[in-house]
PDB file of all heavy atoms in Angstrom:
ATOM      1  N   VAL A 474     133.782  65.165  32.576  1.00 94.00           N
ATOM      2  CA  VAL A 474     133.382  66.508  32.161  1.00 94.00           C
ATOM      3  C   VAL A 474     131.896  66.671  32.471  1.00 94.00           C
ATOM      4  O   VAL A 474     131.162  65.692  32.608  1.00 94.00           O
ATOM      5  CB  VAL A 474     133.644  66.758  30.658  1.00 94.00           C
ATOM      6  CG1 VAL A 474     135.122  66.766  30.368  1.00 94.00           C
ATOM      7  CG2 VAL A 474     132.923  65.717  29.805  1.00 94.00           C
ATOM      8  N   SER A 475     131.447  67.918  32.587  1.00 94.00           N
ATOM      9  CA  SER A 475     130.040  68.161  32.922  1.00 94.00           C
ATOM     10  C   SER A 475     129.149  68.136  31.692  1.00 94.00           C
ATOM     11  O   SER A 475     127.949  67.848  31.809  1.00 94.00           O
ATOM     12  CB  SER A 475     129.890  69.499  33.649  1.00 94.00           C
ATOM     13  OG  SER A 475     130.490  70.541  32.906  1.00 94.00           O
ATOM     14  N   ALA A 476     129.679  68.421  30.510  1.00 95.00           N
ATOM     15  CA  ALA A 476     128.870  68.396  29.291  1.00 95.00           C
ATOM     16  C   ALA A 476     129.804  68.380  28.078  1.00 95.00           C
ATOM     17  O   ALA A 476     130.998  68.701  28.175  1.00 95.00           O
ATOM     18  CB  ALA A 476     127.928  69.591  29.216  1.00 95.00           C
ATOM     19  N   ILE A 477     129.250  68.014  26.927  1.00 96.00           N
ATOM     20  CA  ILE A 477     129.986  68.019  25.660  1.00 96.00           C
ATOM     21  C   ILE A 477     129.081  68.605  24.589  1.00 96.00           C
ATOM     22  O   ILE A 477     127.973  68.125  24.364  1.00 96.00           O
ATOM     23  CB  ILE A 477     130.417  66.597  25.240  1.00 96.00           C
ATOM     24  CG1 ILE A 477     131.301  65.952  26.318  1.00 96.00           C
ATOM     25  CG2 ILE A 477     131.153  66.622  23.905  1.00 96.00           C
ATOM     26  CD1 ILE A 477     131.603  64.486  26.065  1.00 96.00           C
ATOM     27  N   GLY A 478     129.553  69.690  23.947  1.00 96.00           N
ATOM     28  CA  GLY A 478     128.804  70.275  22.839  1.00 96.00           C
ATOM     29  C   GLY A 478     129.160  69.590  21.533  1.00 96.00           C
ATOM     30  O   GLY A 478     130.330  69.311  21.271  1.00 96.00           O
ATOM     31  N   VAL A 479     128.157  69.308  20.728  1.00 95.00           N
ATOM     32  CA  VAL A 479     128.361  68.603  19.456  1.00 95.00           C
ATOM     33  C   VAL A 479     127.859  69.489  18.320  1.00 95.00           C
ATOM     34  O   VAL A 479     126.725  69.983  18.354  1.00 95.00           O
ATOM     35  CB  VAL A 479     127.619  67.249  19.448  1.00 95.00           C
ATOM     36  CG1 VAL A 479     127.787  66.551  18.104  1.00 95.00           C
ATOM     37  CG2 VAL A 479     128.107  66.356  20.582  1.00 95.00           C
ATOM     38  N   PHE A 480     128.721  69.669  17.292  1.00 94.00           N
ATOM     39  CA  PHE A 480     128.381  70.477  16.111  1.00 94.00           C
ATOM     40  C   PHE A 480     128.516  69.608  14.870  1.00 94.00           C
ATOM     41  O   PHE A 480     129.533  68.923  14.729  1.00 94.00           O
ATOM     42  CB  PHE A 480     129.313  71.681  15.994  1.00 94.00           C
ATOM     43  CG  PHE A 480     129.260  72.651  17.133  1.00 94.00           C
ATOM     44  CD1 PHE A 480     129.929  72.398  18.322  1.00 94.00           C
ATOM     45  CD2 PHE A 480     128.556  73.840  17.023  1.00 94.00           C
ATOM     46  CE1 PHE A 480     129.897  73.301  19.376  1.00 94.00           C
ATOM     47  CE2 PHE A 480     128.521  74.744  18.071  1.00 94.00           C
ATOM     48  CZ  PHE A 480     129.186  74.478  19.253  1.00 94.00           C
ATOM     49  N   PRO A 481     127.576  69.632  13.934  1.00 93.00           N
ATOM     50  CA  PRO A 481     126.218  70.158  14.044  1.00 93.00           C
ATOM     51  C   PRO A 481     125.337  69.162  14.781  1.00 93.00           C
ATOM     52  O   PRO A 481     125.841  68.172  15.312  1.00 93.00           O
ATOM     53  CB  PRO A 481     125.795  70.295  12.584  1.00 93.00           C
ATOM     54  CG  PRO A 481     126.490  69.163  11.913  1.00 93.00           C
ATOM     55  CD  PRO A 481     127.820  69.033  12.610  1.00 93.00           C
ATOM     56  N   ARG A 482     124.040  69.385  14.725  1.00 92.00           N
ATOM     57  CA  ARG A 482     123.106  68.468  15.379  1.00 92.00           C
ATOM     58  C   ARG A 482     122.945  67.213  14.521  1.00 92.00           C
ATOM     59  O   ARG A 482     122.406  67.274  13.406  1.00 92.00           O
ATOM     60  CB  ARG A 482     121.761  69.146  15.575  1.00 92.00           C
ATOM     61  CG  ARG A 482     120.689  68.256  16.181  1.00 92.00           C
ATOM     62  CD  ARG A 482     119.419  69.025  16.418  1.00 92.00           C
ATOM     63  NE  ARG A 482     118.327  68.152  16.839  1.00 92.00           N
ATOM     64  CZ  ARG A 482     117.111  68.587  17.154  1.00 92.00           C
ATOM     65  NH1 ARG A 482     116.846  69.884  17.115  1.00 92.00           N
ATOM     66  NH2 ARG A 482     116.168  67.739  17.526  1.00 92.00           N
ATOM     67  N   VAL A 483     123.435  66.090  15.032  1.00 92.00           N
ATOM     68  CA  VAL A 483     123.349  64.808  14.331  1.00 92.00           C
ATOM     69  C   VAL A 483     122.870  63.742  15.311  1.00 92.00           C
ATOM     70  O   VAL A 483     122.808  63.979  16.528  1.00 92.00           O
ATOM     71  CB  VAL A 483     124.713  64.407  13.719  1.00 92.00           C
ATOM     72  CG1 VAL A 483     125.150  65.394  12.661  1.00 92.00           C
ATOM     73  CG2 VAL A 483     125.769  64.294  14.816  1.00 92.00           C
ATOM     74  N   ASP A 484     122.590  62.574  14.803  1.00 91.00           N
ATOM     75  CA  ASP A 484     122.146  61.456  15.632  1.00 91.00           C
ATOM     76  C   ASP A 484     123.366  60.761  16.237  1.00 91.00           C
ATOM     77  O   ASP A 484     124.179  60.178  15.517  1.00 91.00           O
ATOM     78  CB  ASP A 484     121.347  60.473  14.780  1.00 91.00           C
ATOM     79  CG  ASP A 484     120.766  59.341  15.622  1.00 91.00           C
ATOM     80  OD1 ASP A 484     120.913  59.391  16.857  1.00 91.00           O
ATOM     81  OD2 ASP A 484     120.178  58.405  15.042  1.00 91.00           O
ATOM     82  N   VAL A 485     123.508  60.846  17.550  1.00 92.00           N
ATOM     83  CA  VAL A 485     124.644  60.217  18.232  1.00 92.00           C
ATOM     84  C   VAL A 485     124.159  59.126  19.179  1.00 92.00           C
ATOM     85  O   VAL A 485     124.871  58.731  20.102  1.00 92.00           O
ATOM     86  CB  VAL A 485     125.476  61.270  19.006  1.00 92.00           C
ATOM     87  CG1 VAL A 485     126.129  62.255  18.059  1.00 92.00           C
ATOM     88  CG2 VAL A 485     124.590  62.007  20.020  1.00 92.00           C
ATOM     89  N   SER A 486     122.936  58.653  18.972  1.00 90.00           N
ATOM     90  CA  SER A 486     122.358  57.668  19.885  1.00 90.00           C
ATOM     91  C   SER A 486     123.160  56.384  19.957  1.00 90.00           C
ATOM     92  O   SER A 486     123.243  55.758  21.010  1.00 90.00           O
ATOM     93  CB  SER A 486     120.910  57.370  19.467  1.00 90.00           C
ATOM     94  OG  SER A 486     120.866  56.902  18.126  1.00 90.00           O
ATOM     95  N   ALA A 487     123.772  55.978  18.832  1.00 89.00           N
ATOM     96  CA  ALA A 487     124.547  54.737  18.834  1.00 89.00           C
ATOM     97  C   ALA A 487     125.755  54.854  19.753  1.00 89.00           C
ATOM     98  O   ALA A 487     126.106  53.908  20.475  1.00 89.00           O
ATOM     99  CB  ALA A 487     124.988  54.397  17.406  1.00 89.00           C
ATOM    100  N   VAL A 488     126.407  56.021  19.771  1.00 90.00           N
ATOM    101  CA  VAL A 488     127.572  56.228  20.648  1.00 90.00           C
ATOM    102  C   VAL A 488     127.135  56.233  22.112  1.00 90.00           C
ATOM    103  O   VAL A 488     127.774  55.620  22.973  1.00 90.00           O
ATOM    104  CB  VAL A 488     128.280  57.551  20.285  1.00 90.00           C
ATOM    105  CG1 VAL A 488     129.435  57.815  21.254  1.00 90.00           C
ATOM    106  CG2 VAL A 488     128.767  57.522  18.854  1.00 90.00           C
ATOM    107  N   LEU A 489     126.036  56.894  22.389  1.00 91.00           N
ATOM    108  CA  LEU A 489     125.574  57.005  23.778  1.00 91.00           C
ATOM    109  C   LEU A 489     125.061  55.675  24.309  1.00 91.00           C
ATOM    110  O   LEU A 489     125.186  55.387  25.505  1.00 91.00           O
ATOM    111  CB  LEU A 489     124.478  58.067  23.885  1.00 91.00           C
ATOM    112  CG  LEU A 489     124.843  59.479  23.394  1.00 91.00           C
ATOM    113  CD1 LEU A 489     123.688  60.433  23.660  1.00 91.00           C
ATOM    114  CD2 LEU A 489     126.107  59.980  24.059  1.00 91.00           C
ATOM    115  N   ALA A 490     124.474  54.856  23.448  1.00 88.00           N
ATOM    116  CA  ALA A 490     123.919  53.582  23.893  1.00 88.00           C
ATOM    117  C   ALA A 490     125.002  52.672  24.468  1.00 88.00           C
ATOM    118  O   ALA A 490     124.731  51.870  25.370  1.00 88.00           O
ATOM    119  CB  ALA A 490     123.215  52.885  22.731  1.00 88.00           C
ATOM    120  N   ALA A 491     126.230  52.805  23.974  1.00 85.00           N
ATOM    121  CA  ALA A 491     127.315  51.958  24.471  1.00 85.00           C
ATOM    122  C   ALA A 491     127.666  52.266  25.921  1.00 85.00           C
ATOM    123  O   ALA A 491     128.301  51.447  26.600  1.00 85.00           O
ATOM    124  CB  ALA A 491     128.544  52.136  23.586  1.00 85.00           C
ATOM    125  N   HIS A 492     127.272  53.455  26.426  1.00 83.00           N
ATOM    126  CA  HIS A 492     127.600  53.844  27.801  1.00 83.00           C
ATOM    127  C   HIS A 492     126.399  53.750  28.739  1.00 83.00           C
ATOM    128  O   HIS A 492     126.502  54.087  29.921  1.00 83.00           O
ATOM    129  CB  HIS A 492     128.126  55.283  27.818  1.00 83.00           C
ATOM    130  CG  HIS A 492     129.444  55.452  27.138  1.00 83.00           C
ATOM    131  ND1 HIS A 492     130.630  55.449  27.817  1.00 83.00           N
ATOM    132  CD2 HIS A 492     129.745  55.611  25.821  1.00 83.00           C
ATOM    133  CE1 HIS A 492     131.627  55.618  26.961  1.00 83.00           C
ATOM    134  NE2 HIS A 492     131.116  55.722  25.735  1.00 83.00           N
ATOM    135  N   ALA A 493     125.252  53.312  28.219  1.00 77.00           N
ATOM    136  CA  ALA A 493     124.036  53.314  29.026  1.00 77.00           C
ATOM    137  C   ALA A 493     124.121  52.379  30.213  1.00 77.00           C
ATOM    138  O   ALA A 493     123.519  52.624  31.261  1.00 77.00           O
ATOM    139  CB  ALA A 493     122.830  52.940  28.155  1.00 77.00           C
ATOM    140  N   GLY A 494     124.879  51.290  30.112  1.00 71.00           N
ATOM    141  CA  GLY A 494     124.945  50.325  31.200  1.00 71.00           C
ATOM    142  C   GLY A 494     126.072  50.559  32.183  1.00 71.00           C
ATOM    143  O   GLY A 494     126.279  49.741  33.102  1.00 71.00           O
ATOM    144  N   ASP A 495     126.825  51.659  32.039  1.00 70.00           N
ATOM    145  CA  ASP A 495     127.944  51.944  32.941  1.00 70.00           C
ATOM    146  C   ASP A 495     127.411  52.509  34.253  1.00 70.00           C
ATOM    147  O   ASP A 495     126.970  53.653  34.322  1.00 70.00           O
ATOM    148  CB  ASP A 495     128.891  52.947  32.275  1.00 70.00           C
ATOM    149  CG  ASP A 495     130.123  53.211  33.124  1.00 70.00           C
ATOM    150  OD1 ASP A 495     130.284  52.547  34.178  1.00 70.00           O
ATOM    151  OD2 ASP A 495     130.934  54.076  32.736  1.00 70.00           O
ATOM    152  N   ARG A 496     127.429  51.715  35.308  1.00 70.00           N
ATOM    153  CA  ARG A 496     126.883  52.142  36.594  1.00 70.00           C
ATOM    154  C   ARG A 496     127.839  53.024  37.385  1.00 70.00           C
ATOM    155  O   ARG A 496     127.495  53.535  38.440  1.00 70.00           O
ATOM    156  CB  ARG A 496     126.496  50.922  37.434  1.00 70.00           C
ATOM    157  CG  ARG A 496     125.246  50.213  36.925  1.00 70.00           C
ATOM    158  CD  ARG A 496     124.864  49.071  37.843  1.00 70.00           C
ATOM    159  NE  ARG A 496     124.721  49.470  39.239  1.00 70.00           N
ATOM    160  CZ  ARG A 496     123.635  50.054  39.745  1.00 70.00           C
ATOM    161  NH1 ARG A 496     122.598  50.301  38.965  1.00 70.00           N
ATOM    162  NH2 ARG A 496     123.585  50.364  41.027  1.00 70.00           N
ATOM    163  N   ARG A 497     129.057  53.220  36.890  1.00 73.00           N
ATOM    164  CA  ARG A 497     130.008  54.066  37.620  1.00 73.00           C
ATOM    165  C   ARG A 497     129.687  55.549  37.456  1.00 73.00           C
ATOM    166  O   ARG A 497     130.071  56.365  38.291  1.00 73.00           O
ATOM    167  CB  ARG A 497     131.432  53.788  37.131  1.00 73.00           C
ATOM    168  CG  ARG A 497     131.933  52.395  37.429  1.00 73.00           C
ATOM    169  CD  ARG A 497     133.242  52.127  36.721  1.00 73.00           C
ATOM    170  NE  ARG A 497     133.076  52.219  35.259  1.00 73.00           N
ATOM    171  CZ  ARG A 497     134.088  52.098  34.395  1.00 73.00           C
ATOM    172  NH1 ARG A 497     135.312  51.912  34.825  1.00 73.00           N
ATOM    173  NH2 ARG A 497     133.854  52.180  33.091  1.00 73.00           N
ATOM    174  N   ASN A 498     129.027  55.901  36.348  1.00 75.00           N
ATOM    175  CA  ASN A 498     128.697  57.292  36.078  1.00 75.00           C
ATOM    176  C   ASN A 498     127.264  57.381  35.562  1.00 75.00           C
ATOM    177  O   ASN A 498     126.661  56.374  35.184  1.00 75.00           O
ATOM    178  CB  ASN A 498     129.652  57.885  35.026  1.00 75.00           C
ATOM    179  CG  ASN A 498     131.102  57.811  35.458  1.00 75.00           C
ATOM    180  OD1 ASN A 498     131.517  58.475  36.390  1.00 75.00           O
ATOM    181  ND2 ASN A 498     131.881  56.971  34.775  1.00 75.00           N
ATOM    182  N   ALA A 499     126.738  58.601  35.543  1.00 80.00           N
ATOM    183  CA  ALA A 499     125.401  58.807  35.003  1.00 80.00           C
ATOM    184  C   ALA A 499     125.390  58.496  33.518  1.00 80.00           C
ATOM    185  O   ALA A 499     126.374  58.734  32.800  1.00 80.00           O
ATOM    186  CB  ALA A 499     124.958  60.254  35.237  1.00 80.00           C
ATOM    187  N   ALA A 500     124.295  57.952  33.024  1.00 87.00           N
ATOM    188  CA  ALA A 500     124.170  57.631  31.609  1.00 87.00           C
ATOM    189  C   ALA A 500     124.168  58.913  30.786  1.00 87.00           C
ATOM    190  O   ALA A 500     123.465  59.873  31.128  1.00 87.00           O
ATOM    191  CB  ALA A 500     122.899  56.837  31.361  1.00 87.00           C
TER     192      ALA A 500
END
Side-chain angles (χ1 to χ4, degrees):
V474 293
S475 53
I477 301 172
V479 178
F480 298 80
R482 177 177 173 178
V483 296
D484 184 5
V485 295
S486 58
V488 176
L489 303 184
H492 293 264
D495 184 5
R496 288 184 54 81
R497 295 171 299 176
N498 301 292

